[in-house]
Amino acid sequence: MEAYSHFAIGLLLCSVMLCGHLSQGLQRFSELKNSLILEYVAKNGTKAGEGTISVTWKLDTAAVSAADAAFADYKNVHIKLCFGAVSQVDRAWRKTNDLLSKDKTCPYEMGAQPYTPEGGSITWTVTKEIPFAFYFIRAYVTNTAKEKIAYGQTSNKQRTTNLFTIEPITGRHASLDIAAAVFSAFSVISLFGFYFGEKRFIKKG
Amino acid sequence: MGVANKNAKAMTPQQQMEFAVTLKREPSMSSSCNSTPLHPRSSQDADLGDDDGTPVGATLDVYMGDADPFPLPVDSEHKARKMKLFSFAPPHMLAFHLSWFSFFATFVSSFAPAPLLPVIRDNLDLTGRDIGNAGTASVAGSIASRLVIGALCDLVGPRYACAFLLLLTAPAVFTLASVSTATGFIVSRFLIGLSLGSFVTCQFWMSSMFSAEVVGTVNGTTAGWANLGGGASLLIMPLVYHLIEGPMGFDRFVAWRIAFVVPGFIQVLSALLVLVLGQDLPDGNYQELKVKGEQNTDTAWKVIFYAVINPKTWVFALSYGYCFGVELTVDNILTSYFFDRFDLPLHTAGVVASTFGLANIVTRPFGGYLSDWMAQNLGMRGRLWALWSVQTAGGMACIFLGRIGHLAGTIVVMIVFSCFAEMAAGATFGVIPFISRRSLGVISGIVGAGGILGAVLTQLIFFTSSAYSTETGISLMGIMIICCTFPIIGVYFPQWGGMLRPASTSPSATEEAYYLREWSQEEQRQGMHLASLKFAENSRGERGKRVAPQPVLNPMSSSATLALGAGVQYKMA
């Protein structure tokens, strides 16, 4: 009986640990394999809304052979735009966290492609929601269960080299500025209008 | 019905009002301010001219005859003695609703950027430091404006003072749409924050419209409901933003700019309603009434002097900074806290964080009510204990808030913290009216400004630098709340006692002695202190149920005897 209970507890513990290990919430960036090589074309000051970035990715056969990649179930490649370290300073909402579920380094997805050993490329038009910052590009490889298992990036480990900037839209429009000016003028004029109008009205009446 | 008699006419309007309020006291009646909300005063209305000890020549209700009866019972100054919450009848209740709504609008504008910060910080490339400074700036301006606006109210009346503030700061709200740098953002938030000085116009207008019996309840209700603006903007702004960004299809960086038209409009609309529908006094507007009647005005310097030298002013200015001020700071940081730490989507984070400010609808008036309820049995000592314990409990809840790592627990503790902090704010203004009679206005302004200063300091110390995370900052803020509430233990009224010390048994420890010490012999000879004397008699309820020593003889007092409902009699030799 004792052996049974020991065995049951052991099994329970193992399954818990296994589940924990496999669950995405506990996955860490440091556990991912750096197995992709990325090349990109992006000018400094690429304009949001108009400019394009092209990225080419392929398997780094020196790190992982094609057979190993197939065995590890490389399924899809997601290419993301990520903040360089200099743009994360004093901005806690962009912090890098080794726990992938809490990591905020790479918020913008540029594209996703199925994995092939020959590699692939995408061309992405910068969307208008991208703020001003220094960026690099990272590609994650996911398996069938949609967990990240490998990556490749254009910058170094500290995210300080090979950074490029994107010029964002200002969000301002001439029509907005004019509307603001008109409403403000109305507000001020109505105050003084009421005050002096009432004064005159009382004098008359 | 009673009619104002010749004796009454010889007195100043101030004295008339005080006479009107001196009535048979019952243990359930607290003194002037912060009365039990909507407590029926039927016993007072019935008492007229019988020997219950009311002074000779006193007036109770003034009936205008067939000329123009007010919809509410009024005193000799035509200030309403009751509050009818859902009435919009001019002049009293209409002024009530206009007043709280205009103050509410300034809260909405001042806190409107907070829930949209995740979008704004990307558009303007803000750092954590910029955001902290902007939050500080948004409340810093109101410190100066609260101190100054009292003078403006005296000059042009509360109606124009309120409209002045709102209409001149509305441009700052509209031009947020044109901001493109961090500096521009900080300056805009500072200018918008100036509008929070409408706290003073709100309280001033209510004090002009409602008599001392209900003015505390009215003040607490207007302030509490206006504080909702902080929470309401956390609900409204993300909704408006998503409407503009989604169905209307604007870009994110354009949508937030357009969204600020909404708080701007609300502010302008409420100011125009105040101008068109409101009136300064029950009898009319300042400009009309300035011609008739003279007022027994005090010297500004004297009033400021007696406010400043009273140490209680500063104790409560500090403690108010750590109940109300903390509430403002949390309004600023809470949405981002939920968005960043718990990964809630923006809209949801706004809704959850808004419950903090929205609790004001009941918690702040309840704080005032609690203060009154404690005063029934324990007098001023009860009020002080209520305030200290509620605020300290809030501090402890705040320490926990920073420590909890999961969402459900955080929400629960946040609600508990909001209840305690806002009750403390309401309870503070259950004590303020008794600190001084002569300098009540200036003290209210200093305490109000102290509240904002507390918000500024807290934002600067704990949430601006990146030295510690937001959750650590929240816990440290809780410790600071407890420390800054400590001085209340030292507050002592000789005639009523303090938290730890009972009232003095010396025969000179009376309400009259306390309130008359602010008037010099020369001023008393001129009769300037009569209002304080009346107030002193009315405040006898702050002794609770304790039997008091005989009050000091004062030849200028006109009460022969004052009968307390509890059966305790005070004979004035």
Side-chain angles (χ1 to χ4, degrees):
Chain A
M1 281 313 281
E2 276 232 13
Y4 262 129
S5 63
H6 278 308
F7 177 68
I9 291 169
L11 193 64
L12 207 62
L13 275 174
C14 277
S15 53
V16 165
M17 287 199 298
L18 210 62
C19 284
H21 189 69
L22 287 179
S23 79
Q24 263 182 315
L26 293 177
Q27 216 188 5
R28 294 181 166 273
F29 182 71
S30 44
E31 295 164 358
L32 298 183
K33 195 119 178 80
N34 187 348
S35 55
L36 291 183
I37 299 177
L38 294 184
E39 278 162 17
Y40 72 101
V41 176
K43 290 195 323 283
N44 247 348
T46 310
K47 277 202 163 138
E50 309 166 8
T52 57
I53 301 176
S54 34
V55 181
T56 316
W57 59 270
K58 65 174 194 282
L59 186 65
D60 183 1
T61 44
V64 170
S65 72
D68 289 338
F71 183 70
D73 189 25
Y74 280 27
K75 195 82 173 141
N76 287 305
V77 176
H78 297 266
I79 302 161
K80 296 199 178 217
L81 192 64
C82 308
F83 291 114
V86 65
S87 288
Q88 292 175 307
V89 171
D90 200 16
R91 290 181 174 92
W93 57 91
R94 294 180 184 169
K95 224 162 122 173
T96 297
N97 193 324
D98 199 32
L99 273 176
L100 282 176
S101 57
K102 292 199 170 158
D103 183 38
K104 308 217 165 148
T105 323
C106 301
Y108 308 111
E109 172 133 336
M110 292 162 69
Q113 290 182 317
Y115 166 79
T116 60
E118 301 83 36
S121 70
I122 58 159
T123 305
W124 180 66
T125 315
V126 182
T127 52
K128 288 186 182 174
E129 55 173 9
I130 308 293
F132 172 80
F134 287 83
Y135 293 95
F136 66 97
I137 300 168
R138 179 184 288 172
Y140 285 110
V141 181
T142 56
N143 62 10
T144 331
K146 299 215 171 117
E147 294 155 357
K148 301 184 173 95
I149 46 180
Y151 77 99
Q153 66 186 30
T154 61
S155 181
N156 63 0
K157 207 163 170 203
Q158 293 82 12
R159 309 177 302 283
T160 51
T161 57
N162 265 348
L163 302 176
F164 61 95
T165 59
I166 286 180
E167 193 189 307
I169 59 166
T170 60
R172 290 181 60 183
H173 281 294
S175 53
L176 273 183
D177 294 342
I178 293 172
V182 165
F183 294 146
S184 308
F186 170 75
S187 162
V188 174
I189 289 172
S190 61
L191 172 69
F192 292 111
F194 262 98
Y195 186 71
F196 293 115
E198 254 185 44
K199 254 200 170 146
R200 251 195 318 158
F201 183 68
I202 290 165
K203 275 206 187 126
K204 280 188 190 165
Chain B
M1 294 285 255
V3 166
N5 61 26
K6 294 203 178 88
N7 284 353
K9 277 201 187 116
M11 296 184 282
T12 65
Q14 185 82 322
Q15 291 165 329
Q16 283 183 40
M17 182 201 80
E18 294 303 312
F19 269 118
V21 174
T22 308
L23 300 156
K24 181 158 120 183
R25 291 201 53 83
E26 287 158 15
S28 60
M29 250 162 64
S30 61
S31 41
S32 31
C33 300
N34 264 337
S35 328
T36 310
L38 305 182
H39 184 79
R41 299 281 183 216
S42 48
S43 55
Q44 304 167 6
D45 297 338
D47 280 344
L48 257 184
D50 41 353
D51 346 75
D52 55 356
T54 48
V56 173
T59 58
L60 294 167
D61 276 338
V62 176
Y63 182 56
M64 300 291 285
D66 297 319
D68 195 9
F70 290 102
L72 295 169
V74 294
D75 65 10
S76 57
E77 270 190 303
H78 302 162
K79 294 185 184 181
R81 295 171 53 207
K82 276 191 199 175
M83 177 173 76
K84 255 195 208 160
L85 210 55
F86 297 110
S87 154
F88 281 80
H92 306 103
M93 288 316 299
L94 186 58
F96 172 86
H97 289 291
L98 290 171
S99 171
W100 82 257
F101 188 72
S102 58
F103 187 25
F104 172 92
T106 64
F107 260 94
V108 172
S109 304
S110 299
F111 291 98
L116 297 183
L117 265 179
V119 181
I120 301 176
R121 67 191 178 194
D122 277 346
N123 192 185
L124 303 181
D125 198 26
L126 302 177
T127 61
R129 182 155 227 114
D130 292 330
I131 294 173
N133 288 339
T136 307
S138 75
V139 288
S142 72
I143 296 175
S145 74
R146 282 179 179 206
L147 292 174
V148 161
I149 206 68
L152 193 64
C153 282
D154 278 326
L155 219 59
V156 294
R159 220 171 109 244
Y160 270 107
C162 176
F164 175 88
L165 259 182
L166 266 65
L167 289 174
L168 289 187
T169 50
V173 181
F174 291 124
T175 52
L176 255 181
S178 307
V179 156
S180 53
T181 60
T183 317
F185 184 64
I186 295 173
V187 168
S188 283
R189 286 206 77 181
F190 174 79
L191 292 175
I192 297 172
L194 288 176
S195 65
L196 284 176
S198 60
F199 169 73
V200 180
T201 69
C202 175
Q203 310 284 282
F204 189 99
W205 202 4
M206 291 299 94
S207 305
S208 310
M209 282 283 178
F210 290 87
S211 77
E213 299 155 83
V214 289
V215 76
T217 308
V218 169
N219 277 346
T221 312
T222 49
W225 286 9
N227 276 3
L228 290 182
S233 74
L234 295 178
L235 277 179
I236 299 173
M237 294 306 289
L239 269 175
V240 171
Y241 167 77
H242 279 119
L243 194 68
I244 298 174
E245 191 216 2
M248 293 194 206
F250 284 95
D251 298 317
R252 290 175 87 215
F253 291 176
V254 179
W256 76 264
R257 294 169 186 274
I258 300 176
F260 277 95
V261 155
V262 172
F265 266 172
I266 295 176
Q267 201 170 312
V268 170
L269 180 70
S270 64
L272 292 178
L273 283 176
V274 162
L275 284 178
V276 167
L277 296 178
Q279 62 186 52
D280 295 311
L281 294 166
D283 293 325
N285 287 319
Y286 261 43
Q287 292 197 32
E288 302 158 9
L289 296 177
K290 254 186 186 166
V291 206
K292 357 170 180 164
E294 27 161 289
Q295 284 192 344
N296 193 14
T297 45
D298 206 338
T299 329
W301 286 119
K302 277 270 162 67
V303 170
I304 294 173
F305 174 73
Y306 282 109
V308 165
I309 60 162
N310 192 333
K312 297 186 186 60
T313 307
W314 304 103
V315 166
F316 289 108
L318 179 67
S319 80
Y320 193 59
Y322 281 89
C323 58
F324 178 68
V326 153
E327 183 195 329
L328 292 187
T329 305
V330 173
D331 274 339
N332 262 329
I333 60 152
L334 208 54
T335 306
S336 302
Y337 183 64
F338 280 114
F339 184 81
D340 294 331
R341 190 172 186 203
F342 299 106
D343 295 318
L344 287 183
L346 184 62
H347 185 191
T348 315
V351 169
V352 171
S354 71
T355 56
F356 185 83
L358 289 176
N360 261 305
I361 196 171
V362 287
T363 51
R364 187 158 176 152
F366 184 74
Y369 177 76
L370 179 72
S371 185
D372 286 340
W373 184 75
M374 292 287 277
Q376 283 173 26
N377 291 327
L378 299 172
M380 175 55 69
R381 296 186 76 186
R383 290 188 191 272
L384 292 171
W385 269 103
L387 173 57
W388 179 84
S389 37
V390 161
Q391 194 159 326
T392 305
M396 296 200 288
C398 187
I399 296 176
F400 284 135
L401 184 64
R403 298 282 180 131
I404 297 188
H406 54 92
L407 184 61
T410 303
I411 294 178
V412 169
V413 176
M414 179 195 79
I415 292 174
V416 168
F417 173 44
S418 77
C419 287
F420 282 127
E422 289 154 17
M423 276 167 60
T428 306
F429 278 86
V431 177
I432 300 298
F434 299 99
I435 297 177
S436 158
R437 181 61 187 82
R438 184 173 190 177
S439 309
L440 175 60
V442 179
I443 291 179
S444 299
I446 291 177
V447 171
I452 308 293
L453 190 61
V456 169
L457 282 177
T458 318
Q459 183 101 27
L460 265 178
I461 298 172
F462 299 119
F463 300 109
T464 306
S465 73
S466 30
Y468 15 74
S469 61
T470 310
E471 49 265 30
T472 316
I474 291 177
S475 290
L476 291 176
M477 182 170 76
I479 297 176
M480 189 127 186
I481 292 173
I482 296 179
C483 294
C484 292
T485 313
F486 220 68
I488 295 179
I489 298 179
V491 168
Y492 179 71
F493 291 86
Q495 71 277 24
W496 299 322
M499 275 176 69
L500 300 177
R501 292 188 281 167
S504 163
T505 47
S506 142
S508 61
T510 62
E511 288 83 358
E512 280 77 7
Y514 180 78
Y515 288 112
L516 291 186
R517 70 183 186 185
E518 296 177 328
W519 302 95
S520 67
Q521 288 298 330
E522 177 57 43
E523 288 161 337
Q524 291 190 30
R525 249 190 301 267
Q526 295 174 21
M528 290 170 74
H529 69 300
L530 288 170
S532 290
L533 208 57
K534 288 298 136 199
F535 183 78
E537 294 178 70
N538 290 339
S539 65
R540 206 88 67 195
E542 295 308 303
R543 296 181 182 223
K545 288 195 168 142
R546 178 178 66 83
V547 177
Q550 295 208 353
V552 171
L553 164 69
N554 188 319
M556 298 290 284
S557 163
S558 53
S559 315
T561 56
L562 204 64
L564 286 191
V568 182
Q569 293 248 338
Y570 294 84
K571 270 213 157 63
M572 300 220 186

